[in-house]
Amino acid sequence: MSGQKPGEEACTPGLDLTAFWSVTYGLYVVTTKAGEKKNGCLVNTFIQTASEPCAVCISLSKKNLTHDLVMGSGRFAAQVLEKETPLRFLGTWGFRTGRDTDKFEGVEHREGATGCPVVLEHTLASFEVEVTEKVDCGTHTLFLGRTVKAEKLKPGEPLTYAYYHEVKGGRTGRNAPGYLASRAHDRDIERSHEMKKYVCAVCGYTYDPEKGDPDNGVDAGTPFEKLPDDWVCPVCGAGKDQFESEG
Ligand SMILES: Cc1cc2nc3c(=O)[nH]c(=O)nc-3n(C[C@H](O)[C@H](O)[C@H](O)COP(=O)(O)O)c2cc1C
């Protein structure tokens, strides 16, 4: 017996997944258009890989619709998000799937040079990329590409993965490469503090009474039970009845 609790993933001995929390990332909306279908998702895995040619890469989960569409289209656009990007916007791109949602509805965007949609809201800069190589990495595919257009859309400070977690209280998507590390981290916190947190069954956001939901007028120290009945998940908009007590 491993002593593993239900819902806990097996850990490989020697791999402290929370070590990955010291790796720094930004957050990006990656979009594409294959045939008539346009879609996109939130990623933390966009990096520049070479200067000449100007090359970049992204890592996409094989479970994401965006993965299949980039496979088909051979191109993508990556938008650098600003620090002030609201959780709700991040939740749409990071927790909903284009299989049943049009993520572009009500979101300002335009067709880019490659035909990929360029999201204009909360975007500091945009890169359009032609895929040159695909590397099978197991759960994810690494898409390497050549940048065909790079443009700055507005000045501002980019949103980092650390700020998203620590200040905004955002969660890691199940299909993000860092998901297992984030689960391990959450379990450590649970063990060291006896706090009654509630988790959104739709997107995984955790309501932490110690932090409250200041963006939506809920003070730190407000127990979940005292939240107004019309309070909704700040990430995905699910109602209070979609929340389950943690632990
Ligand atoms: C903070 C955060 C980071 C994420 N990073 C990645 C990533 O690097 N690669 C990836 O494939 N998915 C990542 N995801 C998960 C996708 O955004 C998510 O699965 C999305 O719902 C997929 O949408 P789609 O099915 O429309 O493509 C991340 C999610 C969050 C919340």
Side-chain angles (χ1 to χ4, degrees), residues 27 39-46 59-67 90-99 103 140 161 164-165 171-177:
L27 281 177
N39 190 47
C41 73
L42 189 67
V43 309
N44 60 285
T45 51
F46 171 74
S59 174
L60 289 181
S61 166
K62 292 173 185 173
K63 290 184 181 166
N64 290 343
L65 175 64
T66 309
H67 174 278
L90 298 166
T92 300
W93 296 96
F95 288 99
R96 296 189 177 254
T97 175
R99 291 188 179 92
K103 301 187 199 180
H140 289 62
Y161 202 38
Y164 167 75
H165 278 293
R171 316 307 304 156
T172 304
R174 266 175 205 282
N175 296 334

Side-chain angles (χ1 to χ4, degrees), residues 51-73:
S51 51
E52 194 57 57
C54 183
V56 297
C57 76
I58 51 168
S59 174
L60 289 181
S61 166
K62 292 173 185 173
K63 290 184 181 166
N64 290 343
L65 175 64
T66 309
H67 174 278
D68 297 350
L69 296 180
V70 173
M71 276 281 183
S73 70

Side-chain angles (χ1 to χ4, degrees), residues 117-232:
V118 174
V119 173
L120 301 171
E121 289 180 31
H122 308 294
T123 297
L124 299 181
S126 172
F127 301 88
E128 289 186 68
V129 180
E130 278 172 4
V131 175
T132 50
E133 221 178 305
K134 299 160 198 160
V135 182
D136 187 336
C137 298
T139 54
H140 289 62
T141 301
L142 196 59
F143 292 94
L144 303 166
R146 187 177 63 89
T147 311
V148 294
K149 178 145 191 189
E151 57 184 324
K152 289 198 276 189
L153 294 176
K154 67 168 176 173
E157 213 180 313
L159 175 63
T160 65
Y161 202 38
Y163 186 82
Y164 167 75
H165 278 293
E166 286 157 24
V167 181
K168 288 187 169 284
R171 316 307 304 156
T172 304
R174 266 175 205 282
N175 296 334
Y179 178 66
L180 290 183
S182 111
R183 289 290 305 265
H185 177 80
D186 287 352
R187 284 196 295 273
D188 285 351
I189 290 180
E190 273 170 44
R191 282 172 192 143
S192 59
H193 308 272
E194 293 269 300
M195 291 186 295
K196 194 98 179 201
K197 297 177 184 173
Y198 280 76
V199 182
C200 175
V202 178
C203 72
Y205 165 84
T206 302
Y207 175 77
D208 179 350
E210 280 200 359
K211 290 185 181 161
D213 178 14
D215 283 357
N216 296 299
V218 177
D219 292 336
T222 307
F224 182 80
E225 295 74 14
K226 294 260 170 75
L227 288 171
D229 289 342
D230 59 356
W231 179 84
V232 294

